[in-house]
Amino acid sequence: MSRPVAVALTGGIGAGKSEALAAFARQGAATLSADELVHRLIAEDDRVRAALEERLGTTDRAVIAGRVFGDREALVWLEGLLHPRVREEYSAWLEDVDASVAVVEIPLLYETGADRRFDRVVVVTAPLDVRRARSVLAGEERERRFLPDEEKVAKADYAYENTGTLDDLDRFVASVLADVS
């Protein structure tokens, strides 16, 4: 078994990363979501849960978000707890997955330096009004940690403005897969 082409998928809140990840899956790529890894770590990892209870007094994701996104020190601590574990998880997955192309959705890809671990990067964007219609968090405080879309697009191998139909998205994804395969 040879190593798959490792593709990172990133974009802002409400840009449509999850739908793009689903499109890659529909087209036959192996897929993994860093957000889902975080959710699993918080729900199931005993060390993560113990650290959260000790520092924040909870393992409830909504309560954690309310506490850390207004407190820079707490956010840095949380990211220090979670990001290395998420990297370990997706790195192990990339080593073991049996696929020609493997796509990992990572919202803070460039911000964490994780882009260096991938062969190709896809950025999904959408105008702010579209993102706000999709997510109440778009344009809010927590998104200030994200690089601006223009910077992500300049660094990426592929970029897609996600304002069309699912068929449009599927065609874009098919073209990326044809190019990297």
PDB file of all heavy atoms in Angstrom, residues 2 8 27 32 46 54 70-71 75 95 101 121-122 157 168 170:
ATOM      1  N   SER A   2       0.672   2.129  -0.964  1.00  0.00           N
ATOM      2  CA  SER A   2       1.451   3.365  -1.012  1.00  0.00           C
ATOM      3  C   SER A   2       0.692   4.474  -0.297  1.00  0.00           C
ATOM      4  O   SER A   2      -0.515   4.412  -0.113  1.00  0.00           O
ATOM      5  CB  SER A   2       1.727   3.759  -2.460  1.00  0.00           C
ATOM      6  OG  SER A   2       0.522   4.014  -3.129  1.00  0.00           O
ATOM      7  N   ALA A   8      -5.269  18.855   2.236  1.00  0.00           N
ATOM      8  CA  ALA A   8      -5.892  19.590   3.339  1.00  0.00           C
ATOM      9  C   ALA A   8      -6.988  20.478   2.767  1.00  0.00           C
ATOM     10  O   ALA A   8      -6.824  21.064   1.693  1.00  0.00           O
ATOM     11  CB  ALA A   8      -4.860  20.439   4.071  1.00  0.00           C
ATOM     12  N   GLN A  27     -17.005  11.666  -4.181  1.00  0.00           N
ATOM     13  CA  GLN A  27     -16.162  11.419  -5.365  1.00  0.00           C
ATOM     14  C   GLN A  27     -15.147  10.294  -5.119  1.00  0.00           C
ATOM     15  O   GLN A  27     -14.313  10.024  -5.976  1.00  0.00           O
ATOM     16  CB  GLN A  27     -15.427  12.701  -5.758  1.00  0.00           C
ATOM     17  CG  GLN A  27     -16.324  13.841  -6.137  1.00  0.00           C
ATOM     18  CD  GLN A  27     -16.899  13.698  -7.530  1.00  0.00           C
ATOM     19  OE1 GLN A  27     -16.342  13.019  -8.380  1.00  0.00           O
ATOM     20  NE2 GLN A  27     -18.037  14.314  -7.764  1.00  0.00           N
ATOM     21  N   LEU A  32     -11.580  12.935   6.461  1.00  0.00           N
ATOM     22  CA  LEU A  32     -11.505  13.048   7.912  1.00  0.00           C
ATOM     23  C   LEU A  32     -11.678  14.515   8.286  1.00  0.00           C
ATOM     24  O   LEU A  32     -11.145  15.397   7.613  1.00  0.00           O
ATOM     25  CB  LEU A  32     -10.144  12.534   8.406  1.00  0.00           C
ATOM     26  CG  LEU A  32      -9.897  12.494   9.900  1.00  0.00           C
ATOM     27  CD1 LEU A  32     -10.772  11.420  10.564  1.00  0.00           C
ATOM     28  CD2 LEU A  32      -8.426  12.204  10.174  1.00  0.00           C
ATOM     29  N   ASP A  46      -9.747  10.196  27.997  1.00  0.00           N
ATOM     30  CA  ASP A  46      -9.706  10.400  29.452  1.00  0.00           C
ATOM     31  C   ASP A  46      -8.742  11.505  29.870  1.00  0.00           C
ATOM     32  O   ASP A  46      -9.052  12.289  30.771  1.00  0.00           O
ATOM     33  CB  ASP A  46      -9.343   9.093  30.168  1.00  0.00           C
ATOM     34  CG  ASP A  46     -10.436   8.054  30.076  1.00  0.00           C
ATOM     35  OD1 ASP A  46     -11.608   8.435  29.875  1.00  0.00           O
ATOM     36  OD2 ASP A  46     -10.122   6.849  30.197  1.00  0.00           O
ATOM     37  N   GLU A  54     -10.219  19.827  35.141  1.00  0.00           N
ATOM     38  CA  GLU A  54      -9.327  20.511  36.085  1.00  0.00           C
ATOM     39  C   GLU A  54      -9.209  21.998  35.776  1.00  0.00           C
ATOM     40  O   GLU A  54      -9.291  22.830  36.675  1.00  0.00           O
ATOM     41  CB  GLU A  54      -7.941  19.860  36.051  1.00  0.00           C
ATOM     42  CG  GLU A  54      -6.972  20.489  37.040  1.00  0.00           C
ATOM     43  CD  GLU A  54      -5.617  19.815  37.014  1.00  0.00           C
ATOM     44  OE1 GLU A  54      -5.558  18.586  36.811  1.00  0.00           O
ATOM     45  OE2 GLU A  54      -4.611  20.534  37.199  1.00  0.00           O
ATOM     46  N   GLY A  70     -13.482  34.141  24.811  1.00  0.00           N
ATOM     47  CA  GLY A  70     -13.332  35.487  25.349  1.00  0.00           C
ATOM     48  C   GLY A  70     -12.099  35.642  26.216  1.00  0.00           C
ATOM     49  O   GLY A  70     -11.862  36.696  26.800  1.00  0.00           O
ATOM     50  N   ASP A  71     -11.297  34.594  26.322  1.00  0.00           N
ATOM     51  CA  ASP A  71     -10.136  34.573  27.216  1.00  0.00           C
ATOM     52  C   ASP A  71      -8.942  34.011  26.444  1.00  0.00           C
ATOM     53  O   ASP A  71      -8.802  32.799  26.292  1.00  0.00           O
ATOM     54  CB  ASP A  71     -10.468  33.708  28.437  1.00  0.00           C
ATOM     55  CG  ASP A  71      -9.334  33.604  29.452  1.00  0.00           C
ATOM     56  OD1 ASP A  71      -8.168  33.891  29.104  1.00  0.00           O
ATOM     57  OD2 ASP A  71      -9.632  33.201  30.592  1.00  0.00           O
ATOM     58  N   LEU A  75      -7.808  30.086  25.681  1.00  0.00           N
ATOM     59  CA  LEU A  75      -7.828  29.569  24.314  1.00  0.00           C
ATOM     60  C   LEU A  75      -6.475  28.979  23.939  1.00  0.00           C
ATOM     61  O   LEU A  75      -6.398  27.891  23.355  1.00  0.00           O
ATOM     62  CB  LEU A  75      -8.221  30.670  23.328  1.00  0.00           C
ATOM     63  CG  LEU A  75      -8.285  30.269  21.862  1.00  0.00           C
ATOM     64  CD1 LEU A  75      -9.298  29.147  21.641  1.00  0.00           C
ATOM     65  CD2 LEU A  75      -8.624  31.480  21.005  1.00  0.00           C
ATOM     66  N   GLU A  95      -1.299   7.730   7.473  1.00  0.00           N
ATOM     67  CA  GLU A  95      -0.363   6.620   7.292  1.00  0.00           C
ATOM     68  C   GLU A  95      -1.084   5.306   7.033  1.00  0.00           C
ATOM     69  O   GLU A  95      -0.580   4.444   6.317  1.00  0.00           O
ATOM     70  CB  GLU A  95       0.534   6.477   8.531  1.00  0.00           C
ATOM     71  CG  GLU A  95       1.529   7.594   8.698  1.00  0.00           C
ATOM     72  CD  GLU A  95       2.535   7.683   7.557  1.00  0.00           C
ATOM     73  OE1 GLU A  95       2.993   6.627   7.070  1.00  0.00           O
ATOM     74  OE2 GLU A  95       2.844   8.815   7.141  1.00  0.00           O
ATOM     75  N   VAL A 101      -6.294   9.109  -2.562  1.00  0.00           N
ATOM     76  CA  VAL A 101      -6.362  10.501  -2.112  1.00  0.00           C
ATOM     77  C   VAL A 101      -7.063  10.532  -0.759  1.00  0.00           C
ATOM     78  O   VAL A 101      -8.123   9.922  -0.589  1.00  0.00           O
ATOM     79  CB  VAL A 101      -7.130  11.394  -3.111  1.00  0.00           C
ATOM     80  CG1 VAL A 101      -7.219  12.831  -2.603  1.00  0.00           C
ATOM     81  CG2 VAL A 101      -6.484  11.351  -4.494  1.00  0.00           C
ATOM     82  N   VAL A 121      -3.329  21.790  -0.935  1.00  0.00           N
ATOM     83  CA  VAL A 121      -4.284  22.501  -0.075  1.00  0.00           C
ATOM     84  C   VAL A 121      -5.418  23.046  -0.934  1.00  0.00           C
ATOM     85  O   VAL A 121      -5.176  23.650  -1.985  1.00  0.00           O
ATOM     86  CB  VAL A 121      -3.609  23.661   0.696  1.00  0.00           C
ATOM     87  CG1 VAL A 121      -4.643  24.473   1.465  1.00  0.00           C
ATOM     88  CG2 VAL A 121      -2.538  23.126   1.646  1.00  0.00           C
ATOM     89  N   VAL A 122      -6.648  22.832  -0.443  1.00  0.00           N
ATOM     90  CA  VAL A 122      -7.853  23.381  -1.059  1.00  0.00           C
ATOM     91  C   VAL A 122      -8.470  24.359  -0.069  1.00  0.00           C
ATOM     92  O   VAL A 122      -8.676  24.019   1.102  1.00  0.00           O
ATOM     93  CB  VAL A 122      -8.878  22.268  -1.380  1.00  0.00           C
ATOM     94  CG1 VAL A 122     -10.172  22.868  -1.912  1.00  0.00           C
ATOM     95  CG2 VAL A 122      -8.299  21.262  -2.352  1.00  0.00           C
ATOM     96  N   ASP A 157      -3.269  25.588  -3.246  1.00  0.00           N
ATOM     97  CA  ASP A 157      -3.131  25.024  -4.585  1.00  0.00           C
ATOM     98  C   ASP A 157      -4.431  25.156  -5.372  1.00  0.00           C
ATOM     99  O   ASP A 157      -4.418  25.281  -6.598  1.00  0.00           O
ATOM    100  CB  ASP A 157      -2.748  23.543  -4.484  1.00  0.00           C
ATOM    101  CG  ASP A 157      -1.424  23.358  -3.782  1.00  0.00           C
ATOM    102  OD1 ASP A 157      -0.394  23.771  -4.354  1.00  0.00           O
ATOM    103  OD2 ASP A 157      -1.418  22.826  -2.652  1.00  0.00           O
ATOM    104  N   ASP A 168     -22.174  22.182  -8.762  1.00  0.00           N
ATOM    105  CA  ASP A 168     -20.989  23.010  -9.022  1.00  0.00           C
ATOM    106  C   ASP A 168     -19.827  22.569  -8.126  1.00  0.00           C
ATOM    107  O   ASP A 168     -18.690  22.434  -8.582  1.00  0.00           O
ATOM    108  CB  ASP A 168     -21.273  24.490  -8.757  1.00  0.00           C
ATOM    109  CG  ASP A 168     -22.285  25.099  -9.708  1.00  0.00           C
ATOM    110  OD1 ASP A 168     -22.438  24.589 -10.839  1.00  0.00           O
ATOM    111  OD2 ASP A 168     -22.943  26.093  -9.295  1.00  0.00           O
ATOM    112  N   ASP A 170     -19.443  19.643  -6.669  1.00  0.00           N
ATOM    113  CA  ASP A 170     -19.000  18.311  -7.090  1.00  0.00           C
ATOM    114  C   ASP A 170     -18.095  18.390  -8.315  1.00  0.00           C
ATOM    115  O   ASP A 170     -17.100  17.652  -8.408  1.00  0.00           O
ATOM    116  CB  ASP A 170     -20.199  17.406  -7.376  1.00  0.00           C
ATOM    117  CG  ASP A 170     -20.825  16.835  -6.112  1.00  0.00           C
ATOM    118  OD1 ASP A 170     -20.128  16.740  -5.074  1.00  0.00           O
ATOM    119  OD2 ASP A 170     -22.016  16.474  -6.155  1.00  0.00           O
TER     120      ASP A 170
END
